């Protein structure tokens, strides 16, 4: 079953720290091998990550994420079944964003399907523009 989860967390390191590069390198390699796609957004203090793939793989990944010492206060914003991926082109895309833009994504009402799809579309547009 194809599944998607979004979470936010607080980083123990400032934006641009070498640990961000390490996270991306490991995530890209690992995710590609197990069929997970997604995006990691970063502002000065927080991460927002969306991951999608097999439900069991996503649940295993979330356990690892919640135990990762590079961040804390992990809060799952939503989890849902998917019929198709939203970030199929990226094993793990990465973008640094301004806090105001970050807040726009985290303040969405994810229980509303149209609002959720619009938010995901804006994230894809932001990634495309950042590349």
């Amino acid at each position: 079953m194809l599944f998607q989860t979004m979470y936010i967390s607080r980083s123990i390191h400032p934006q641009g720290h070498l640990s961000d590069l390490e996270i991306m390198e490991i995530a890209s390699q690992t995710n590609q091998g197990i069929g997970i796609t997604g995006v990691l957004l970063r502002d000065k203090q927080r991460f927002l990550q969306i991951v999608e793939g097999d439900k069991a793989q996503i649940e295993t990944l979330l356990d690892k994420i919640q135990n990762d010492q590079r961040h804390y206060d992990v809060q799952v914003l939503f989890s849902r079944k998917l019929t198709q991926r939203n970030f199929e082109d990226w094993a793990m895309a990465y973008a640094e964003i301004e806090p105001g833009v970050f807040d726009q994504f985290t303040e969405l009402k994810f229980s509303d399907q149209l609002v959720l799809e619009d938010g995901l579309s804006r994230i894809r547009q932001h990634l495309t523009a950042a590349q």
Side-chain angles (χ1 to χ4, degrees), residues 67-84:
N67 291 309
D68 190 321
Q69 299 299 307
R70 294 171 290 198
H71 66 156
Y72 63 98
D73 194 22
V74 177
Q75 299 174 30
V76 174
L77 299 177
F78 74 83
S79 293
R80 67 181 183 146
K81 295 178 192 176
L82 287 180
T83 55
Q84 68 180 41

Side-chain angles (χ1 to χ4, degrees), residues 29-127:
Q29 293 171 359
T30 302
N31 292 353
Q32 194 168 28
I34 59 176
I36 291 178
T37 55
V39 58
L40 179 65
L41 302 179
R42 178 75 152 96
D43 77 356
K44 293 185 186 303
Q45 300 173 333
R46 301 169 292 182
F47 292 109
L48 180 146
Q49 186 171 24
I50 302 169
V51 289
E52 50 195 23
D54 177 74
K55 184 177 182 182
Q57 295 284 2
I58 296 296
E59 288 172 348
T60 299
L61 179 60
L62 281 175
D63 286 341
K64 289 179 185 177
I65 286 168
Q66 290 181 345
N67 291 309
D68 190 321
Q69 299 299 307
R70 294 171 290 198
H71 66 156
Y72 63 98
D73 194 22
V74 177
Q75 299 174 30
V76 174
L77 299 177
F78 74 83
S79 293
R80 67 181 183 146
K81 295 178 192 176
L82 287 180
T83 55
Q84 68 180 41
R85 294 175 188 260
N86 287 279
F87 301 99
E88 65 275 355
D89 294 335
W90 297 291
M92 188 50 57
Y94 176 82
E96 292 182 354
I97 59 177
E98 295 299 316
V101 175
F102 192 100
D103 291 336
Q104 289 175 14
F105 297 139
T106 60
E107 293 171 1
L108 294 173
K109 298 197 180 334
F110 295 111
S111 58
D112 182 324
Q113 187 66 27
L114 291 176
V115 171
L116 173 59
E117 292 305 326
D118 179 61
L120 293 172
S121 177
R122 287 189 289 147
I123 290 172
R124 282 191 304 274
Q125 290 171 357
H126 185 79
L127 287 171

